[in-house]
Amino acid sequence: MKLFYKPGACSLASHIILNEVEATFDIESVDTDAGRTETGQDYININPKGYVPTLELDDGTLLSEGASVLQYIADQNPKADLAPPIGTIARARLHEHLNYTASELHKAFGPFFSGTATDEDKEKAGANVVEKMDYLETQIGNEKPYLLGDKFSVADAYTFVVCNWANFVGIDLNTWPNVAAYVERVGSRPSAQKAMQAEGLMG
Ligand SMILES: N[C@@H](CCC(=O)N[C@@H](CS)C(=O)NCC(=O)O)C(=O)O
């Protein structure tokens, strides 16, 4: 298997989950602006949407969209217990969190990483991030260390990565003590440390 990624991007969540299941895999970075991978492949042939993550399976099958990649890895490795069984309310809850992170929180950060966003766009985006974080703050805490409760799941890997972006765009995570503690908790897992190290994010 191979994961196409950009350092610190949302693909880091898939990288963390591949580590959680102790998969055998390679990683290959992508310059999405140039549309080229580290080994010079034309990325449009790998993911016509142009963004990361993309997971390439051993038989050449390509899978994109982070929420799909995460759940695929979890479902292929049920012993790791990273996603509740399909068809249960707990699995629907997982989708609920994955969708919130993908379509609300992740998208709220978009203007901070856009080369064309104005200062006004970024100001509006900052207010939007605050609103999304305010909600997240109510979803986790000492009694509920992870989004599904006591158990770490694929949604935590993704939500951790997106929340952690706050530290790179001048938004103080300490405004949300539960979120700040959660980022620390998930980020200190060996799977996350190993992935961040491999992506060159540990200094
Ligand atoms: N809907 C996609 C969005 C993926 C996405 O936004 N990827 C970003 C990194 S977090 C990216 O590759 N951006 C570079 C680009 O769009 O050129 C998913 O959930 O996987």
Side-chain angles (χ1 to χ4, degrees):
M1 259 186 309
K2 183 187 279 184
L3 177 69
F4 292 92
Y5 78 104
K6 269 176 85 164
C10 50
S11 45
L12 175 60
S14 299
H15 194 169
I16 292 170
I17 293 303
L18 285 166
N19 285 341
E20 285 279 341
V21 303
E22 298 178 0
T24 302
F25 65 99
D26 295 318
I27 55 173
E28 181 160 347
S29 68
V30 182
D31 177 342
T32 51
D33 291 334
R36 289 263 154 206
T37 76
E38 197 180 331
T39 62
Q41 297 185 73
D42 194 347
Y43 192 57
I44 207 84
N45 296 328
I46 296 165
N47 185 346
K49 292 174 278 193
Y51 48 64
V52 293
T54 303
L55 185 68
E56 183 179 356
L57 307 185
D58 291 341
D59 67 359
T61 300
L62 295 163
L63 183 65
S64 62
E65 297 302 318
S68 308
V69 171
L70 291 167
Q71 291 180 87
Y72 177 76
I73 300 165
D75 290 337
Q76 290 297 306
N77 296 277
K79 281 195 188 132
D81 201 13
L82 295 168
I86 290 168
T88 61
I89 186 66
R91 184 59 172 255
R93 196 67 71 205
L94 180 81
H95 289 161
E96 190 178 22
H97 289 300
L98 284 170
N99 280 339
Y100 183 75
T101 296
S103 61
E104 303 294 335
L105 196 55
H106 181 159
K107 287 298 158 204
F109 275 97
F112 288 107
F113 302 118
S114 153
T116 55
T118 62
D119 286 349
E120 195 188 339
D121 294 335
K122 288 184 187 170
E123 202 174 308
K124 279 189 197 150
N128 198 15
V129 168
V130 166
E131 189 188 299
K132 307 308 175 195
M133 288 286 193
D134 283 348
Y135 171 74
L136 195 58
E137 179 72 2
T138 68
Q139 295 301 297
I140 40 189
N142 289 338
E143 304 295 310
K144 195 173 174 245
Y146 300 109
L147 289 165
L148 294 184
D150 285 341
K151 262 189 211 165
F152 173 82
S153 74
V154 293
D156 295 304
Y158 187 17
T159 305
F160 153 71
V161 168
V162 175
C163 288
N164 197 37
W165 291 341
N167 291 316
F168 299 91
V169 301
I171 294 174
D172 185 5
L173 268 188
N174 292 314
T175 310
W176 305 278
N178 289 336
V179 175
Y182 171 78
V183 166
E184 184 63 35
R185 187 179 304 125
V186 177
S188 57
R189 291 177 79 86
S191 59
Q193 291 284 309
K194 192 175 170 191
M196 290 190 284
Q197 185 84 45
E199 294 194 9
L201 304 171
M202 302 292 272

